[in-house]
Amino acid sequence: MERRTRVRFAPSPTGPLHMGGVRTALYNYLYAKRNGGDFILRIEDTDSHRFVPGAEEYIIEALRWCGIFPDEGVDADGKVVETPSPRHPHAPYRQSQRKPIYRKYAETLVENGYAYYAFDTPEELEAARAGAEAAKETFIYNQVTRLRMRNSLTLPSDEVERLLEETTAWTIRFKMPEDTVVKMDDLIRGHIEVNTSTLDDKVLWKRADELPTYHLANIVDDHLMEISEVIRGEEWLPSLPLHFMLYKAFGWEDTMPRFAHLSLLLKPVGNGKLSKRDGDKMGFPVFPLKWVNPEGETSRGYREDGYFPEAFVNMLAMLGWNPGDDREMFSLDELVEAFSLDKVQKAGAKFNPEKAKWYNREYLRLKSDEELAELFTPVLEEHGINVVGCPKCALTAGAEFNVAGGDLDKRIFTKEYVRSVIAFTKERATFVSDFWTIASYLFVTPEEFVQKDVDKFWKPENVELVLKVRDFIKEYDGPWTTEAVGTAIEEYIKGNEWPMGKVMNALRLALAGSSSGLGIADIIYHIGKRETVRRVDRAALM
Ligand code: GLU
């Protein structure tokens, strides 16, 4: 019988989710949806030393922002799930709340000879490490050294009984079989063989806090939650032989999931894993959302930097996967349609921050002017600008709108004015906040003039001509549209045989504070006749 596809994303809440982690979640989600299965979110928080407050909430919020909603798990449809229900039969999905489940599995392994009790104190382990170091070796608790340590393989059974009763510092360790070749298949990496003599006896369960370690909890939960494929980062590949051995020891080989280890995200230049330091150095985020760590240190996030979640998700999907052709733009639904693990690359994927921006630009262009105007409105409000729905509503605020729908004195603008600004500046923007950088002077009178442009263009002979153009605009009584105003000014300058470039640059400097920027006609149309004249007069006083 075909097995139902059930995959999980199982992060540990040890800090903000790295974009590589989001990619792992995304690939799991795409795989589940492509195969009509379930995507489960499980929180692996059994290592209390590494627990960071706020990290779980961060993970959940980041996935929601990306539009990745688990079918089952700690967060389903935006609700935090803690108790079992028909929809969430395996709840709780937070391992710290599943504590009572694990001990019996660890004990079963001991009973069947696959694991043993270890009583070595931290001091004894430290001494063993120091001893090995002195001999220029590294101490590994393994098939050889375990015979020199204090455990149920070396101590008499009555002593073992006593220590189990009377002490709490003991652990259960996996008894790695000797000189056995573990044969494994990975969906991305193919066939892998590892000899167990290279592996150590990992701790599975700790009496001190009655908690399992990652390895035990991970295998038990994947089994109980009927996981069909484990898709995770390649940093877990070294754990794969142990996981294989654990499935075998439990007798769960028949239902063992298939494994797929994803390659790393690599830094933009040089070699190595993409780290926060690369982001800080080159000016890009490595986290989906802004994160403030418990010490108060802030890391930037894609969301706060103005990326659209669709752009971020599309960009991430393409980092290490390709659809087999040269298509680059995919919505989440289209990714589900196109995704398959056999198109996931084995080699690391180099992150390119420029490509991330490219995606944002593309998605910005796909949005309607109305939608962008809505998104831009809060930015305008931050700069003390009011946007009103209709000219009539503004009358109550005492606004006197120009033809384009702006009152620059009172800083009140109609939605239509904002939309119209968006329409002709869209091609220049990567982020919504860029509209302010590009077009602030269509909302407020610029306070300063760029000095090098003043030196270059604000020459007496040009100023004289600009003042004449001002008079021409003052007298102009043709239709007030960008095209008509633009053509009239151009013809006027041409007709007088004045140097077009010089006059236009000086005029733009007077209107926008800089000689480079938006088209003259667009500026004049939006700010209106009165403000145009005023800005030229003000510049003339320079
Ligand atoms: N808790 C592990 C992590 O933090 C999960 C590894 C796995 O998916 O097996 O990445």
Side-chain angles (χ1 to χ4, degrees), residues 8-12 42 44 214 218 222 230-233 235-236 243:
R8 82 312 191 265
F9 179 53
S12 297
R42 184 173 75 218
E44 302 206 324
Y214 154 73
N218 187 272
D222 281 349
V230 168
I231 305 168
R232 61 184 175 191
E235 65 272 30
W236 300 104
H243 294 181

Side-chain angles (χ1 to χ4, degrees), residues 318-432:
M318 308 303 282
L319 276 178
W321 169 84
N322 70 78
D325 55 36
D326 50 15
R327 253 180 92 195
E328 293 192 279
M329 296 290 287
F330 289 88
S331 68
L332 196 55
D333 286 344
E334 287 163 346
L335 284 171
V336 167
E337 272 304 301
F339 189 77
S340 74
L341 277 178
D342 52 271
K343 295 250 163 35
V344 172
Q345 73 191 42
K346 228 188 266 183
K350 231 178 195 357
F351 172 65
N352 176 357
E354 288 313 311
K355 195 70 189 183
K357 286 191 187 144
W358 179 85
Y359 269 110
N360 216 61
R361 214 154 33 236
E362 293 299 309
Y363 276 90
L364 185 136
R365 283 185 199 151
L366 286 178
K367 291 196 188 291
S368 69
D369 299 344
E370 284 73 19
E371 195 180 348
L372 289 171
E374 287 291 326
L375 294 169
F376 184 39
T377 297
V379 181
L380 288 169
E381 284 167 355
E382 270 169 37
H383 288 95
I385 286 165
N386 278 310
V387 179
V388 292
C390 60
K392 244 210 237 135
C393 334
L395 292 179
T396 35
E400 278 177 56
F401 288 120
N402 64 25
V403 179
D407 181 336
L408 282 108
D409 291 336
K410 299 210 175 63
R411 297 192 171 192
I412 304 178
F413 298 84
T414 61
K415 267 190 185 164
E416 178 47 31
Y417 184 99
V418 180
R419 195 205 57 77
S420 162
V421 170
I422 299 281
F424 86 95
T425 53
K426 206 170 172 178
E427 286 303 311
R428 301 171 184 241
T430 300
F431 302 104
V432 168

Side-chain angles (χ1 to χ4, degrees), residues 48-321:
S48 52
H49 299 296
R50 296 182 62 218
F51 177 81
V52 173
E56 180 184 319
E57 291 76 3
Y58 180 99
I59 293 165
I60 292 175
E61 198 182 334
L63 295 183
R64 282 185 198 166
W65 180 65
C66 293
I68 304 173
F69 290 93
D71 299 292
E72 215 179 293
V74 288
D75 176 59
D77 300 338
K79 285 193 257 351
V80 174
V81 175
E82 305 217 6
T83 46
S85 65
R87 164 99 188 266
H88 304 285
H90 303 288
Y93 293 88
R94 202 180 278 127
Q95 287 182 331
S96 59
Q97 290 175 311
R98 302 168 63 77
K99 199 168 167 175
I101 295 179
Y102 308 106
R103 180 173 184 164
K104 71 168 190 290
Y105 288 101
E107 302 271 9
T108 312
L109 291 181
V110 179
E111 275 157 36
N112 296 333
Y114 293 106
Y116 58 92
Y117 300 111
F119 302 101
D120 318 279
T121 61
E123 294 73 30
E124 285 164 347
L125 289 169
E126 195 36 57
R129 264 180 228 121
E133 224 165 87
K136 298 219 174 331
E137 282 168 14
T138 316
F139 173 73
I140 304 169
Y141 210 119
N142 64 11
Q143 298 134 47
V144 179
T145 58
R146 67 182 169 223
L147 300 174
R148 300 201 291 265
M149 305 302 286
R150 287 200 317 126
N151 52 50
S152 57
L153 304 172
T154 57
L155 297 172
S157 58
D158 53 343
E159 176 70 352
V160 169
E161 290 303 320
R162 189 187 67 77
L163 288 169
L164 285 177
E165 282 293 315
E166 292 172 15
T167 67
T168 55
W170 52 268
T171 60
I172 295 178
R173 281 184 184 268
F174 187 68
K175 190 175 164 204
M176 190 53 81
E178 279 159 51
D179 198 21
T180 310
V181 177
V182 194
K183 298 184 174 161
M184 302 159 284
D185 286 301
D186 184 275
L187 294 168
I188 296 170
R189 272 139 221 282
H191 189 70
I192 304 167
E193 293 191 3
V194 172
N195 192 301
T196 53
S197 56
T198 61
L199 305 172
D200 59 343
D201 289 358
K202 284 270 185 284
V203 172
L204 300 177
W205 193 83
K206 296 171 282 135
R207 172 69 179 83
D209 53 12
E210 309 223 350
L211 277 170
T213 59
Y214 154 73
H215 301 290
L216 181 74
N218 187 272
I219 290 334
V220 167
D221 282 347
D222 281 349
H223 172 72
L224 295 177
M225 294 179 186
E226 297 165 77
I227 299 302
S228 57
E229 278 83 18
V230 168
I231 305 168
R232 61 184 175 191
E234 85 176 358
E235 65 272 30
W236 300 104
L237 196 56
S239 303
L240 188 58
L242 170 66
H243 294 181
F244 256 69
M245 300 305 289
L246 278 168
Y247 278 102
K248 226 178 172 171
F250 281 122
W252 297 336
E253 279 160 298
D254 291 350
T255 54
M256 179 164 79
R258 298 190 296 166
F259 288 86
H261 287 86
L262 306 170
S263 62
L264 292 175
L265 292 190
L266 304 176
K267 44 175 97 238
V269 277
N271 293 319
K273 195 176 157 189
L274 177 67
S275 71
K276 175 168 140 48
R277 208 158 343 116
D278 300 313
D280 291 345
K281 227 171 37 204
M282 294 179 64
F284 61 82
V286 297
F287 301 120
L289 317 177
K290 181 173 121 182
W291 166 257
V292 184
N293 75 8
E295 287 79 49
E297 189 198 335
T298 304
S299 305
R300 56 206 277 193
Y302 280 87
R303 180 177 67 183
E304 290 73 15
D305 272 20
Y307 283 84
F308 299 117
E310 313 89 280
F312 177 65
V313 165
N314 195 157
M315 178 274 293
L316 264 189
M318 308 303 282
L319 276 178
W321 169 84

